Amino acid sequence: QLQRDLMPRHVAVIMDGNRRWSRMKGLPVGSGYEAGARAFRRVVELCGEWGIKVLTVFAFSSDNWLRPKVETDFLMALFERGLRDELKRFVRENIRVSLIGDSTKLPNRLQLLLADAVETTQSNSGLHLIIAANYSGKNDLVQACQRIALKVKDDQIEPEDINELSIERELETNCTDFPNPDLLIRTSGELRLSNFLLWQLAYTELYFAESLWPDFGEEEFLEALCSFQQRQRRYGRNT
Ligand SMILES: CC(C)CCOP(=O)(O)OP(=O)(O)O
Ligand SMILES: [Mg+2]
């Protein structure tokens, strides 16, 4: 019963539950992250198949640095390996890659790979994949305020001219025509935003799945899309 003309344009995903998945299977933590990477690739494919325009994934939050170094090192190496393997596919499938978050804290080789992926795919017109790496929703708002304050200081704008659009234009998600997700999916039963996109989620339909991210497959993803299509979005109006 999924209707192609009622698809969300922009889907955001918090890919949570990878370590619990490995623990439940008695496997090392790394296998949970690797299973998560496979689930990520599956969802990228599905977004392409269903004509979703923008997919933003929370790949690593600024809080994730607090994890044991062996884990963050593994994750960084996994991102690098995954990107190296996927870049050719992204180009072939006309996927555009953008990056939000403070990438300067990532390992240099990964920074170079990400910059190369962004540059190589910037004119692609297929699915726009926005990778939130070391991203903080609050920091996104802080840097937007700093940019606006600079424009006021340089007499480019007056304080009273600042409106929602002025802020939206300075957010890191200004790389897409659809900065505000229509649907947010968070897996593993956690019911929180974890400092992901904050401003952008103002009217987003929130969907929480019990599945751990590695188990979030085609059936689970289509279920989330179905749920989205069944919700009547009122944007504050009463009908
Ligand atoms: C880095 C991030 C995508 C990992 C998300 O899964 P997770 O490590 O938070 O897994 P747990 O919530 O099960 O600990
Ligand atoms: Mg988690």
Side-chain angles (χ1 to χ4, degrees):
Q1 68 271 27
L2 263 182
Q3 299 174 57
R4 281 189 174 277
D5 56 337
L6 289 180
M7 280 295 152
R9 290 159 309 179
H10 182 168
V11 175
V13 182
I14 301 179
M15 310 183 284
D16 203 3
N18 300 301
R19 293 185 302 186
R20 275 166 282 170
W21 183 87
S22 54
R23 266 204 296 280
M24 269 176 55
K25 298 207 179 253
L27 296 170
V29 169
S31 61
Y33 288 138
E34 284 169 339
R38 290 194 292 276
F40 160 69
R41 281 197 283 274
R42 200 168 40 217
V43 165
V44 168
E45 279 302 309
L46 288 165
C47 285
E49 284 168 28
W50 288 94
I52 285 161
K53 293 185 175 21
V54 186
L55 170 66
T56 299
V57 291
F58 206 177
F60 191 82
S61 83
S62 37
D63 302 337
N64 288 149
W65 293 117
L66 305 174
R67 296 185 174 196
K69 188 169 177 336
V70 63
E71 279 194 39
T72 51
D73 286 351
F74 183 93
L75 269 170
M76 293 299 136
L78 181 64
F79 292 150
E80 188 181 328
R81 209 168 46 246
L83 204 56
R84 217 179 282 285
D85 297 346
E86 291 306 291
L87 188 49
K88 293 180 230 29
R89 181 161 75 98
F90 290 159
V91 172
R92 198 171 54 246
E93 293 176 4
N94 193 24
I95 293 172
R96 177 185 168 199
V97 178
S98 289
L99 189 61
I100 58 174
D102 179 3
S103 58
T104 61
K105 302 283 187 305
L106 302 175
N108 281 337
R109 277 217 313 258
L110 180 55
Q111 287 187 51
L112 292 172
L113 248 180
L114 285 163
D116 179 36
V118 169
E119 206 260 325
T120 310
T121 63
Q122 65 186 345
S123 53
N124 286 354
S125 56
L127 171 70
H128 188 179
L129 172 62
I130 300 178
I131 298 174
N134 195 26
Y135 177 79
S136 150
K138 287 189 172 184
N139 188 58
D140 194 358
L141 286 164
V142 167
Q143 64 86 35
C145 294
Q146 289 169 341
R147 290 162 177 272
I148 291 171
L150 213 55
K151 288 187 173 174
V152 172
K153 192 172 148 200
D154 295 349
D155 290 331
Q156 288 178 33
I157 52 170
E158 295 300 317
E160 56 271 14
D161 298 331
I162 296 172
N163 58 30
E164 290 190 17
L165 196 60
S166 333
I167 294 175
E168 201 139 288
R169 256 202 299 261
E170 303 296 342
L171 289 171
E172 294 178 62
T173 42
N174 62 9
C175 54
T176 169
D177 299 336
F178 305 103
N180 304 319
D182 302 292
L183 170 64
L184 170 74
I185 297 170
R186 180 169 192 154
T187 55
S188 87
E190 305 294 358
L191 304 176
R192 52 180 184 268
L193 296 179
S194 300
N195 192 18
F196 190 20
L197 301 168
L198 294 178
W199 170 283
Q200 301 90 333
L201 293 171
Y203 285 102
T204 301
E205 291 295 333
L206 308 181
Y207 180 89
F208 297 103
E210 286 304 315
S211 316
L212 300 175
W213 174 247
D215 294 327
F216 194 80
E218 174 162 17
E219 185 186 336
E220 289 77 10
F221 185 63
L222 297 186
E223 166 52 41
L225 293 177
C226 261
S227 168
F228 171 80
Q229 295 193 349
Q230 281 149 17
R231 301 185 194 187
Q232 196 224 352
R233 303 184 68 194
R234 290 182 290 279
Y235 293 98
R237 295 188 307 274
N238 55 7
T239 56

